[in-house]
Amino acid sequence: MDAPSVDPRTWFGGLTGRDFEGFHTGGDTELWKRLGAHAVTVTDTDGRERSGVRFTVWAPNAREVRVFGDFNDWNGESHPMELIPGTGVWGIFVEDAHPGQVYKFKVHGADGRWVDKADPMARFAQSAPETGSIVTESHYEWNDADWLERRGRARHHAEPISIYEIHLGGWRRGKTYVELADELVEYVSWQGYTHVEFLPLAQHPYEPSWGYQVTGYFAPMSMFGTPDEFRYLIDRLHQAGIGVIMDWVPGHFPKDEWALGRFDGTALYEHADPRQGEQPDWGTYVFNFGRNEVKSFLVSNALYWIKEFHIDGLRVDAVASMLYLDYSREDGAWVPNMFGGRENLEAVDFLRYVNTHLYEREPGIMMIAEESTSWPGVTRPVDQGGLGFGFKWNMGWMNDTLSYIQREPVHRQYHHNDMTFAMVYSFSENFVLPISHDEVVHGKGSMINKVPEDDWRKFATLRAYYSFMWSHPGKQLVFMGCEFGQRSEFDESKGLEWWVSDLWGHRGLQLMMRRLNELYRQNSPLFELDNDAAGFRWINADDAGGNVFSYLRFDSQGSPMACLVNFSPVPRPVYRIGLPHDGPWRELFNSDAMDFHGTGEWHNNGWVQATDVPAYGLPASADVVVPPLGAVWLVPVRE
């Protein structure tokens, strides 16, 4: 081929400074289309079309930037890049490059050092320990149009949401995106969860971090396959009616020299002042949320997963660490805001921006905050002074209820409030009740081993606890393995202990979880008014001595369900409760059923008869058999 009429170093694939105006004002939310590596065809001054790859990277303070890789035998001298005027962006068109090739940037930073860097906008990356970026273009044809159309009409707060949280590498070790598209879809469909939530699948080099140390924000984890193979997994989940949530980590990033940190020899993505720019708990950098280009980068990243991979929601990690300038810092080790306070006003502005933008661009998606403090209005709309999230993890409910079940039953009466306190604030936010990976690692013990005493009590208590959780206001989330009572703490290097799921107790728990999900989907009182006080009423919240909790759930039409949970090993063969009306009530669910490896002895023969004798402020009442360490759900028999 003849040499091009114009030096290819000056070709930017049609990009000019005007293309980056939004980037510099914080308004470019599709930045992946302009930065990074893109296969393009350009026309030279002789009218000839030439195919290659356009490389662009933001490094405004660099003295020089070069690109090198498979296309030039890793010659770090042959392809110097040029600044696109007025942008701080370096660009080059490389005619010999094509998708599938590995590349890096060689950056001569403002500090005088040459450092080889991965592309911050890479959409595919080498697996660890290699650190190169890979040119990629998607050719995937989606088959989930029906799902996306339904998603756009979703009313999540009034719909059933039960989430199966997954560490993809540990669910079944060694499986690829393609293999999981069969096995994971089959299992989650059988269990009946409405959604899966993946621990972060953006590229990260250190597997034991579980993905919370991201080095490639736009690249799906390559150890499981290609980006299009990840699309295939999501597509298959959608076709099976299962939504996909992914953890997103905008609060901090690792200090690996080849990644984002000090990218052009200066604190480009992070604050320069360590009191603002470093997170001491995790040894990481903190994004500079006040910098417009960083806002464009992060908002674009959030939208990227939703637009390009059809992700249905993002669970935003460690929101508290973003909101508070003094988060996990000693006195004098943080910088107050302009008003002298501890609130990170720039992070607040960023979170409101990303939530507003995503909900406007993609109706039907979910933004979920992992926020562990009492910050007001996390799920309140932005125009009402809130942060604009759709949901918030209820960490208080999780801590209190786990503390309760870890006590000996005889001591639970003194901590009855641990199980009831959440109702004081349950409708102040839109909550998800999380039993996540964080509760079964780092010495906290597995769910089954949190419960004291013998196996009968352990499994019965856990069945009662999940029954309480599934009937409590709020959406549900459990980490993989919790559904069958894995005994060991989660260890990503070993994966789940699937063999125990065939054993007594474990199998019964797994089957009960399947039944809970089935009943949950079928019964609107369990989900329709999760965020409305009209959807809940205590029958008796004060039976501390009996370790029993009884309450009613209602749907928008006023249809009730009565729920009773006994956290004592003593059965309650005649337990009086109030009910909204008399007549027969069917026993919809009993956690002590033999199908769930319960005793099968303590049941109501399928129904109870309510009479018009008032009790607990309700016009009718009935005597109910409540099993030891068990739960019962009742619904009125319709004429």
Side-chain angles (χ1 to χ4, degrees):
M1 180 179 291
D2 295 336
S5 302
V6 177
D7 186 338
R9 289 178 300 171
T10 66
W11 293 0
F12 305 123
L15 293 178
T16 69
R18 296 189 63 180
D19 293 292
F20 294 98
E21 289 177 357
F23 174 49
H24 295 304
T25 62
D28 187 347
T29 61
E30 296 185 354
L31 188 59
W32 71 89
K33 295 180 178 179
R34 280 161 281 282
L35 290 180
H38 291 270
V40 296
T41 299
V42 301
T43 302
D44 66 20
T45 55
D46 295 329
R48 299 181 181 182
E49 289 191 344
R50 300 181 182 272
S51 296
V53 174
R54 180 190 72 212
F55 295 95
T56 47
V57 62
W58 180 52
N61 303 301
R63 300 177 182 180
E64 186 178 355
V65 181
R66 303 169 185 168
V67 64
F68 66 126
D70 291 339
F71 52 83
N72 65 1
D73 295 324
W74 293 93
N75 181 340
E77 305 290 332
S78 63
H79 286 79
M81 303 172 75
E82 292 193 3
L83 274 171
I84 300 176
T87 67
V89 174
W90 300 76
I92 189 173
F93 172 78
V94 180
E95 189 171 7
D96 300 323
H98 58 76
Q101 292 184 320
V102 182
Y103 68 98
K104 295 182 181 181
F105 295 119
K106 186 175 287 292
V107 179
H108 188 195
D111 56 1
R113 301 173 61 235
W114 283 96
V115 180
D116 294 347
K117 291 282 191 177
D119 184 355
M121 302 294 298
R123 288 167 289 131
F124 193 25
Q126 289 183 299
S127 295
E130 302 299 327
T131 60
S133 303
I134 302 174
V135 181
T136 186
E137 296 294 323
S138 176
H139 302 286
Y140 189 77
E141 296 183 6
W142 290 90
N143 296 284
D144 63 348
D146 289 345
W147 170 268
L148 294 181
E149 193 275 331
R150 290 196 305 273
R151 187 183 80 182
R153 294 183 281 106
R155 297 169 55 247
H156 292 304
H157 299 122
E159 294 177 356
I161 296 177
S162 62
I163 303 167
Y164 188 57
E165 188 190 33
I166 302 167
H167 178 278
L168 205 58
W171 189 74
R172 285 184 177 150
R173 295 286 296 168
K175 299 293 183 180
T176 65
Y177 293 130
V178 172
E179 291 167 331
L180 289 163
D182 290 324
E183 298 177 24
L184 181 63
V185 171
E186 180 182 10
Y187 182 75
V188 175
S189 297
W190 177 73
Q191 275 279 285
Y193 294 96
T194 66
H195 291 73
V196 297
E197 179 177 317
F198 294 126
L199 270 64
L201 285 173
Q203 189 71 26
H204 54 276
Y206 185 53
E207 187 178 353
S209 77
W210 307 326
Y212 294 97
Q213 304 262 357
V214 178
T215 51
Y217 274 82
F218 289 80
M221 194 64 177
S222 57
M223 67 179 293
F224 305 118
T226 68
D228 275 355
E229 288 169 342
F230 182 41
R231 289 180 173 93
Y232 174 70
L233 170 60
I234 296 167
D235 201 359
R236 287 284 304 278
L237 285 161
H238 283 171
Q239 291 173 53
I242 300 164
V244 181
I245 301 165
M246 193 170 82
D247 274 14
W248 186 50
V249 192
H252 65 110
F253 60 94
K255 294 182 176 180
D256 302 72
E257 187 174 63
W258 50 271
L260 286 180
R262 304 299 194 262
F263 190 82
D264 63 357
T266 69
L268 191 61
Y269 290 89
E270 67 274 28
H271 283 279
D273 188 335
R275 297 175 299 166
Q276 299 170 287
E278 297 189 18
Q279 182 48 256
D281 276 359
W282 306 310
T284 51
Y285 288 129
V286 177
F287 281 106
N288 181 351
F289 301 111
R291 186 163 197 167
N292 285 334
E293 293 87 353
V294 172
K295 285 194 284 190
S296 287
F297 175 84
L298 289 172
V299 179
S300 291
N301 184 239
L303 185 63
Y304 172 76
W305 292 110
I306 292 168
K307 294 285 284 186
E308 296 293 321
F309 290 88
H310 294 196
I311 296 291
D312 301 296
L314 298 175
R315 177 267 197 186
V316 184
D317 179 62
V319 171
S321 75
M322 302 168 65
L323 292 175
Y324 296 99
L325 295 165
D326 63 346
Y327 182 88
S328 196
R329 290 178 170 86
E330 301 293 333
D331 290 344
W334 57 281
V335 179
N337 63 35
M338 68 177 72
F339 304 109
R342 58 196 286 256
E343 299 81 11
N344 189 334
L345 303 179
E346 294 171 341
V348 170
D349 177 70
F350 162 72
L351 290 170
R352 288 172 170 168
Y353 176 24
V354 70
N355 287 329
T356 300
H357 188 75
L358 265 60
Y359 276 117
E360 288 177 351
R361 290 287 300 273
E362 295 292 330
I365 59 95
M366 291 185 285
M367 295 296 288
I368 304 167
E370 188 225 0
E371 202 285 309
S372 55
T373 75
S374 56
W375 184 282
V378 172
T379 59
R380 190 183 305 143
V382 170
D383 61 6
Q384 297 176 24
L387 294 182
F389 283 95
F391 292 97
K392 169 183 172 173
W393 276 19
N394 193 335
M395 311 296 278
W397 176 92
M398 176 272 297
N399 284 316
D400 288 347
T401 59
L402 290 184
S403 175
Y404 180 86
I405 65 168
Q406 290 179 77
R407 301 182 188 280
E408 295 286 345
V410 69
H411 297 142
R412 289 174 183 163
Q413 61 184 308
Y414 306 112
H415 301 274
H416 195 75
N417 189 52
D418 285 348
M419 298 294 277
T420 61
F421 181 66
M423 290 313 305
V424 173
Y425 60 86
S426 192
F427 306 111
S428 64
E429 301 277 7
N430 306 323
F431 282 120
V432 173
L433 309 181
I435 299 300
S436 73
H437 65 283
D438 280 331
E439 312 321 315
V440 293
V441 294
H442 301 325
K444 294 180 182 178
S446 64
M447 283 296 289
I448 194 69
N449 284 332
K450 293 182 192 297
V451 183
E453 301 190 1
D454 60 26
D455 269 6
W456 178 82
R457 289 173 175 81
K458 286 178 182 292
F459 281 106
T461 301
L462 208 51
R463 292 195 303 270
Y465 178 80
Y466 288 141
S467 303
F468 176 77
M469 177 179 176
W470 252 248
S471 57
H472 193 283
K475 310 308 180 183
Q476 287 75 38
L477 177 146
V478 291
F479 184 58
M480 63 184 198
C482 295
E483 80 278 11
F484 61 78
Q486 174 166 308
R487 291 185 185 271
S488 302
E489 284 193 342
F490 173 62
D491 182 345
E492 76 287 334
S493 68
K494 297 178 181 177
L496 294 183
E497 298 172 350
W498 285 105
W499 60 274
V500 306
S501 65
D502 291 328
L503 303 179
W504 178 90
H506 299 277
R507 181 65 171 175
L509 179 62
Q510 187 182 42
L511 290 172
M512 189 203 73
M513 296 296 281
R514 180 173 186 253
R515 182 62 173 156
L516 285 180
N517 278 325
E518 180 181 37
L519 292 174
Y520 176 61
R521 287 173 179 257
Q522 294 171 352
N523 289 272
S524 53
L526 291 175
F527 59 79
E528 200 170 46
L529 296 179
D530 270 335
N531 308 120
D532 188 332
F536 180 89
R537 185 195 192 282
W538 285 111
I539 298 173
N540 184 359
D542 301 319
D543 187 6
N547 298 163
V548 179
F549 305 84
S550 55
Y551 46 95
L552 295 164
R553 296 296 309 275
F554 299 93
D555 66 11
S556 60
Q557 303 303 308
S559 299
M561 175 184 288
C563 305
L564 299 89
V565 191
N566 177 14
F567 284 103
S568 164
V570 179
R572 311 295 177 189
V574 182
Y575 194 84
R576 194 74 172 173
I577 61 169
L579 289 169
H581 57 78
D582 60 6
W585 287 65
R586 180 164 61 96
E587 185 178 69
L588 183 69
F589 170 78
N590 188 317
S591 69
D592 192 46
M594 292 185 68
D595 287 348
F596 310 142
H597 297 177
T599 70
E601 298 176 10
W602 303 99
H603 55 80
N604 292 278
N605 293 315
W607 64 283
V608 301
Q609 182 68 38
T611 62
D612 58 0
V613 177
Y616 298 102
L618 291 159
S621 59
D623 291 329
V624 182
V625 177
V626 188
L629 298 173
V632 172
W633 295 352
L634 305 168
V635 292
V637 176
R638 296 177 176 84
E639 296 294 337

